[in-house]
Amino acid sequence: MDDPRLPKTLLTRFDYLHSVGFLLTSVCMNTNDEKVIKRYLENGGNDIYCDLVVPKKITIDTMYESKSIIAFRHSKPLYEYHFVVVPVEHIFDLSDPKCEKVSGEIFRVIRQLMQQMDFQKTGAKIEINNGPFQTSKHLHFHVYGGKIHTNLV
């Protein structure tokens, strides 16, 4: 059965399952976390960041944390360098006015982490999924750099 929360014109059932599978494996650091996230998704959870990441109900490799944002290494990186930056307060997407309160800090931290990881040599890609394209309904930024992991292509 298709998930009624998703717009039919944007995501097929395959896209949704692929996204949920990616979400399940992308945030998990261990098998216990996988079980927690699987149970969370089966029970209809749709904001893994507010519900599991920010309160640290699952293991994350934190790179930066403040009262406003948290940045952590992606547990299943697509590239040599891959981290995620998330506002602590729930912000749905870029259209949310609360985004303006944290956007400066988010980009400052992204820049600092990119410098620490020497992204000047490798280049970088910053990805923001907005609105219905988000698997987790919480604003988040993926930052990629370095060589792509060819076993994922």
Side-chain angles (χ1 to χ4, degrees):
M1 181 187 331
D2 287 333
D3 188 325
R5 295 175 294 179
L6 298 172
K8 303 288 185 243
T9 56
L10 294 179
L11 295 176
T12 65
R13 180 75 175 150
F14 172 80
D15 291 332
Y16 174 66
L17 291 174
H18 174 70
S19 296
V20 168
F22 181 72
L23 181 64
L24 179 63
T25 60
S26 68
V27 181
C28 300
M29 295 296 284
N30 60 51
T31 53
N32 186 55
D33 289 344
E34 288 180 15
K35 291 175 188 173
V36 170
I37 293 172
K38 186 175 181 187
R39 189 169 44 251
Y40 170 77
L41 294 171
E42 288 172 349
N43 289 323
N46 69 0
D47 185 350
I48 197 167
Y49 299 109
C50 272
D51 298 336
L52 301 178
V53 172
V54 171
K56 297 191 179 152
K57 292 181 180 176
I58 58 173
T59 308
I60 59 170
D61 183 1
T62 305
M63 300 172 72
Y64 175 90
E65 187 169 7
S66 72
K67 292 179 182 179
S68 306
I69 68 169
I70 187 166
F72 59 95
R73 291 184 204 291
H74 202 287
S75 66
K76 305 281 195 263
L78 297 174
Y79 288 80
E80 184 177 0
Y81 309 109
H82 183 172
F83 61 93
V84 181
V85 181
V86 181
V88 169
E89 180 180 9
H90 179 77
I91 298 174
F92 178 68
D93 66 13
L94 293 172
S95 67
D96 190 322
K98 294 183 285 185
C99 183
E100 291 180 31
K101 293 191 309 185
V102 295
S103 60
E105 183 180 2
I106 286 171
F107 284 104
R108 186 171 45 258
V109 168
I110 288 173
R111 187 180 70 248
Q112 289 169 351
L113 292 174
M114 286 172 58
Q115 288 171 344
Q116 289 173 15
M117 300 173 89
D118 209 15
F119 274 53
Q120 288 82 0
K121 292 179 184 174
T122 66
K125 175 181 177 181
I126 301 172
E127 180 180 290
I128 307 166
N129 293 322
N130 207 55
F133 288 100
Q134 295 171 277
T135 302
S136 183
K137 306 305 182 195
H138 189 114
L139 180 66
H140 58 285
F141 299 74
H142 286 267
V143 183
Y144 312 103
K147 295 179 182 175
I148 191 167
H149 289 287
T150 54
N151 58 332
L152 298 173
V153 179

